Amino acid sequence: MSDGYRDILVVDLLGGIGDLLVLLPAVHGLARRNPGARLRVLTHDPGADLLRADPAVAEVRTPRHGRPGAERAAVVEALAAARPDLAVSTTRYDGIAELLEAGAGRAVTNLWRDPPPQQPVGERYLEILRAEGLLGADGPPARPRVHLPGAARRAGERVVRRLVGEAPAPPVVLVTDAGMAVKRWPRRRWRALAGALARRGHPVLTAGAVDPGAPLGVPLPRADLPTLAGQFAAVGRRGGVVLGADTGPVRLAAAAGAATVALFGPTHARRYGMGGIDLQGLPECVHRRPTAITEQPCWWEARCPLDAAGPACMADLDVAAVLAAVTAHRPLPAPADIDPR
């Protein structure tokens, strides 16, 4: 049984904000199963900011620099600071799994093992921890929930109130950048969607990178991740929607309580879905590998085997389908009201 663990080290050094958020239910589940335990998390900035005010987490550690070997060195330091009774990790590169197995009382170092193609990643993590006896059968749901400090919640509310005012329809936040080219929806479709939403009275806001040549909406002010989560929570309280690709900010919006519409192309919507409306482009693509996405021929350089112009899976998501998802409580728009390109 896991109830005797007093020092728990959770390691997530995969690099993405979304990766950390997918692991968050497991972090919270381990804390609840081991009341009074000192639970430490080793992860990357800026995602670490989301945990520093979390009452379930006693300490947040990050690598000291960005040079090669920083992650392994950070694991060595965490183990030297205190030998954990239990180490749980999503991270196996650079000998990190072996370090944890040698340096902890008990280690579960591969939460990615043997995943069924249709099982959501977060559910797989929890299933493995249950099988290891570390969580009970009535453990946490797989949907992440981020802890929002009061200051971040209030700051987000002030910003959204100022930008939205008394609008006739709920706000929609567009997260147009995706971090990786292979996940990006065509810019012309973002423009068509923003125009259609504005004509329906929705305040259109944008988060992240802004295109000064063709602004799509009113940009949310740049902020740290807790404050951005507060902005998303304020949008959610107004019945609004956050829309974007399979990327960290959209996952953060879902974890902050906002409704989301996520555009999935190279990644599998069933396996990586966010719990809102998850739209899958080109679901029949023979090159998609749900459990080995980094081995897909398109992944690193966005060179699509099906379309030299760009990812065919993202292009398969048309404006009408996305607009219908965002305004799911409203009738479908007339075809003449949007640019279908």
Side-chain angles (χ1 to χ4, degrees):
M1 295 295 290
S2 67
D3 302 83
Y5 297 120
R6 308 307 297 170
D7 191 295
I8 301 172
L9 176 64
V10 178
V11 177
D12 180 78
L13 293 168
L14 299 176
I17 298 167
D19 296 312
L20 177 61
L21 290 169
V22 171
L23 183 62
L24 200 55
V27 172
H28 290 155
L30 289 168
R32 284 194 294 270
R33 187 72 187 276
N34 298 274
R38 181 171 179 258
L39 193 150
R40 299 177 286 153
V41 178
L42 172 57
T43 191
H44 283 109
D45 285 321
D49 283 344
L50 296 171
L51 299 180
R52 291 194 167 99
D54 193 320
V57 179
E59 181 185 16
V60 182
R61 304 179 71 100
T62 59
R64 292 181 181 274
H65 55 80
R67 298 187 297 277
E71 289 83 2
R72 180 182 172 88
V75 173
V76 171
E77 289 180 5
L79 293 172
R83 176 181 171 85
D85 302 315
L86 171 67
V88 173
S89 177
T90 61
T91 311
R92 295 182 60 81
Y93 62 79
D94 205 13
I96 286 173
E98 290 76 12
L99 284 174
L100 294 171
E101 289 161 3
R106 182 184 178 190
V108 178
T109 59
N110 187 2
L111 294 184
W112 292 91
R113 64 180 182 255
D114 304 322
Q118 298 291 326
Q119 186 177 34
V121 173
E123 289 184 9
R124 183 60 180 162
Y125 290 171
L126 297 177
E127 183 177 79
I128 288 174
L129 292 175
R130 291 188 192 104
E132 294 280 351
L134 298 174
L135 296 178
D138 58 345
R143 186 164 185 177
R145 281 289 179 262
V146 68
H147 176 77
L148 276 179
R153 188 178 294 276
R154 291 189 294 273
E157 180 64 32
R158 286 194 299 270
V159 165
V160 173
R161 185 188 308 121
R162 173 172 57 83
L163 296 180
V164 170
E166 299 297 328
V172 178
V173 181
L174 308 181
V175 183
T176 60
D177 194 17
M180 297 182 69
V182 72
K183 295 183 180 181
R184 289 180 186 140
W185 203 39
R187 172 62 65 171
R188 64 184 182 279
R189 296 196 178 175
W190 282 116
R191 293 193 195 104
L193 178 68
L197 289 167
R199 288 191 292 275
R200 284 158 177 72
H202 294 276
V204 179
L205 310 175
T206 59
V210 177
D211 182 352
L216 301 177
V218 178
L220 290 169
R222 290 192 175 275
D224 60 21
L225 287 181
T227 303
L228 178 61
Q231 295 169 358
F232 288 150
V235 168
R237 285 193 292 274
R238 288 163 173 77
V241 176
V242 178
L243 163 69
D246 174 15
T247 189
V250 183
R251 291 191 182 277
L252 179 58
T260 59
V261 173
L263 310 181
F264 285 83
T267 48
H268 195 286
R270 179 74 181 94
R271 185 153 162 73
Y272 291 91
M274 302 183 196
I277 298 177
D278 301 318
L279 301 178
Q280 181 75 69
L282 208 64
E284 70 278 10
C285 178
V286 298
H287 299 283
R288 187 180 290 111
R289 301 187 64 182
T291 63
I293 54 177
T294 62
E295 296 176 19
Q296 294 172 184
C298 61
W299 185 253
W300 296 111
E301 297 180 359
R303 293 179 180 173
C304 178
L306 304 178
D307 189 347
C313 52
M314 297 304 293
D316 187 55
L317 295 163
D318 64 51
V319 177
V322 176
L323 181 62
V326 174
T327 59
H329 60 291
R330 296 169 180 266
L332 281 171
D337 191 34
I338 59 175
D339 180 351
R341 292 176 296 168

